[in-house]
Amino acid sequence: RLEKADPLSPYAQKATMAVVTIVALIDGDSTSKQLSPKINSIKDVESALSRIAADCKVDDCLRGAEILWTPEERDETLTMKDIFADYPSLRSV
């Protein structure tokens, strides 16, 4: 559940959390099983993205990609309570 911030409110520029999802279709990809349980820090995220980028360079095997983020709108906020409710299996890094 996302709440729209009132632009006239003193909290209009309130900090928010963000959830970013990267979806990639890679022919012959073997990284998803290797990486998923090992992402526990920002350094792990950087390493995983590097491995995925390397897989994408092999024989033009990247078929499609999409980056999704929540909240989408500038005036929406996402709290930790929202994240726990909407993404119960998400781990914080």
Side-chain angles (χ1 to χ4, degrees):
R1 178 177 118 326
L2 297 174
E3 297 178 14
K4 291 214 175 220
D6 178 0
L8 301 177
S9 166
Y11 303 104
Q13 296 181 7
K14 185 169 121 179
T16 185
M17 302 297 294
V19 175
V20 178
T21 305
I22 300 172
V23 181
L25 175 61
I26 303 170
D27 286 343
D29 176 41
S30 62
T31 58
S32 61
K33 290 180 184 176
Q34 296 170 5
L35 297 176
S36 183
K38 297 180 182 177
I39 307 290
N40 295 306
S41 68
I42 293 296
K43 187 174 181 174
D44 292 342
V45 171
E46 291 171 352
S47 175
L49 290 173
S50 292
R51 290 185 72 173
I52 291 168
D55 276 0
C56 291
K57 288 182 179 181
V58 176
D59 296 326
D60 294 323
C61 65
L62 178 63
R63 297 293 176 222
E66 186 170 3
I67 299 174
L68 310 165
W69 63 89
T70 302
E72 291 181 32
E73 300 297 326
R74 183 176 218 158
D75 61 343
E76 294 176 331
T77 60
L78 184 64
T79 65
M80 285 302 291
K81 183 178 175 182
D82 297 328
I83 292 173
F84 290 137
D86 295 339
Y87 305 93
S89 61
L90 189 67
R91 291 179 298 198
S92 177
V93 294

